[in-house]
C-alpha cells in the first residue's frame, strides 16, 4: 500500500519499505546495523570513502587493502556510525581504524606523481567524492553499500583512477561509470 510520494527527496515510502531512485534506477537503501529504523545515506558512503582514502594514503597502501582488511561487516558498521563519526577528528578516526584493523604500512604511494603530468594531487575529500559517486552509480539490485564498496575497490579500474598521472580521476562521473562497466578508460 502506497502511503505517499515525496518528490523533494526523490523517494516513495510504502508501509515498511523505502524505495529510492538514482536516475532511473530503483534500489532499496541499506539499513543501519545498529538502528534498523534508520537508513544509510549517500553522505555516510562518502564519509567512509573519504576515511579509506585518508588511511590508504597515510599507510601507503591501495584502498582495496584497507577495505578488504575491514571486510563487509565492519564496513557496514562504519557506514552505520558515519553520521556520528564525521564530527570526530579525522586524524583520530584514522588512527582508531588503523589500530582496530591492525593495518600495516606499505609502499604504494598514490601521491608520487610525475610533476610534468600532474601539477595538483586531488585531496582525500575529492577522491572520496569520486568513489562515492562510482559506488552509488554502479549499485546493483539487492546489493548493499558495503558490498558495493568492496566490489568497486577491488576492481582493476581503481588502479587507473588512482594514477594521478592520467586524467581518469577528474573525468565526469558518467564517463567513469561507463569506463567501469567497459573495463577501462
Amino acid at each position: 500500500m502506497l502511503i505517499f510520494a515525496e518528490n523533494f527527496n526523490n523517494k516513495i515510502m510504502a508501509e515498511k519499505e523505502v524505495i529510492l531512485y538514482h536516475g532511473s534506477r530503483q534500489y532499496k537503501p541499506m539499513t543501519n546495523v545498529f538502528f534498523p529504523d534508520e537508513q544509510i545515506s549517500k553522505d555516510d558512503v562518502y564519509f567512509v570513502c573519504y576515511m579509506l582514502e585518508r588511511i590508504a594514503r597515510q599507510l601507503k597502501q591501495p584502498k582495496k587493502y584497507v577495505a578488504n582488511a575491514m571486510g563487509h561487516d565492519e564496513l557496514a558498521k562504519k557506514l552505520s556510525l558515519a553520521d556520528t563519526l564525521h564530527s570526530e577528528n579525522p586524524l583520530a578516526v584514522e588512527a582508531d581504524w588503523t589500530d582496530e584493523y591492525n593495518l600495516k604500512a606499505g609502499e604504494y604511494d598514490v601521491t608520487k606523481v610525475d610533476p610534468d603530468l600532474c601539477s595538483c594531487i586531488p585531496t582525500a575529500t575529492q577522491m572520496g567524492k569520486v568513489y562515492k559517486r562510482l559506488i552509488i552509480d554502479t549499485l546493483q539490485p539487492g546489493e548493499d553499500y558495503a558490498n558495493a564498496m568492496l566490489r568497486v575497490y577491488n576492481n582493476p579500474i581503481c588502479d587507473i583512477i588512482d594514477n594521478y598521472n592520467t586524467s581518469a580521476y577528474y573525468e565526469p562521473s558518467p564517463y567513469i561509470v561507463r569506463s567501469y562497466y567497459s573495463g577501462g578508460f
Side-chain angles (χ1 to χ4, degrees), residues 71-92:
H72 175 274
D73 292 346
E74 291 300 314
L75 283 170
K77 288 177 185 176
K78 297 307 181 195
L79 286 162
S80 296
L81 295 171
D83 63 344
T84 56
L85 286 174
H86 83 275
S87 62
E88 299 287 327
N89 181 336
L91 294 172

Side-chain angles (χ1 to χ4, degrees), residues 30-36 38-41 44-45 47-48 73-85 145:
M30 183 176 171
T31 303
N32 186 307
V33 298
F34 301 109
F35 304 101
E38 295 182 13
Q39 304 299 324
I40 303 299
S41 73
D44 298 333
V45 175
F47 174 78
V48 174
D73 292 346
E74 291 300 314
L75 283 170
K77 288 177 185 176
K78 297 307 181 195
L79 286 162
S80 296
L81 295 171
D83 63 344
T84 56
L85 286 174
Y145 290 137

Side-chain angles (χ1 to χ4, degrees), residues 22 25 27 130-145 147-153 155 157 161 173-182:
H22 183 73
R25 289 185 308 118
Y27 67 96
V130 168
Y131 278 99
K132 175 203 81 163
R133 289 189 295 260
L134 182 58
I135 288 162
I136 290 173
D137 289 347
T138 62
L139 195 64
Q140 304 297 311
E143 182 178 47
D144 67 22
Y145 290 137
N147 279 330
M149 292 176 90
L150 289 167
R151 176 182 43 77
V152 166
Y153 284 127
N155 191 290
I157 202 162
I161 295 171
S173 294
Y175 183 76
I176 294 174
V177 169
R178 278 196 311 272
S179 300
Y180 173 86
Y181 284 126
S182 67

Side-chain angles (χ1 to χ4, degrees), residues 19-79:
I19 300 169
L20 299 177
Y21 290 89
H22 183 73
S24 62
R25 289 185 308 118
Q26 174 182 328
Y27 67 96
K28 185 177 175 182
M30 183 176 171
T31 303
N32 186 307
V33 298
F34 301 109
F35 304 101
D37 293 342
E38 295 182 13
Q39 304 299 324
I40 303 299
S41 73
K42 293 176 185 178
D43 290 336
D44 298 333
V45 175
Y46 161 70
F47 174 78
V48 174
C49 290
Y50 163 69
M51 289 310 304
L52 291 177
E53 183 74 33
R54 286 183 61 99
I55 293 166
R57 287 183 184 201
Q58 177 66 26
L59 296 175
K60 294 187 176 15
Q61 289 280 10
K63 285 180 284 298
K64 71 179 174 183
Y65 165 78
V66 180
N68 290 338
M70 293 174 75
H72 175 274
D73 292 346
E74 291 300 314
L75 283 170
K77 288 177 185 176
K78 297 307 181 195
L79 286 162

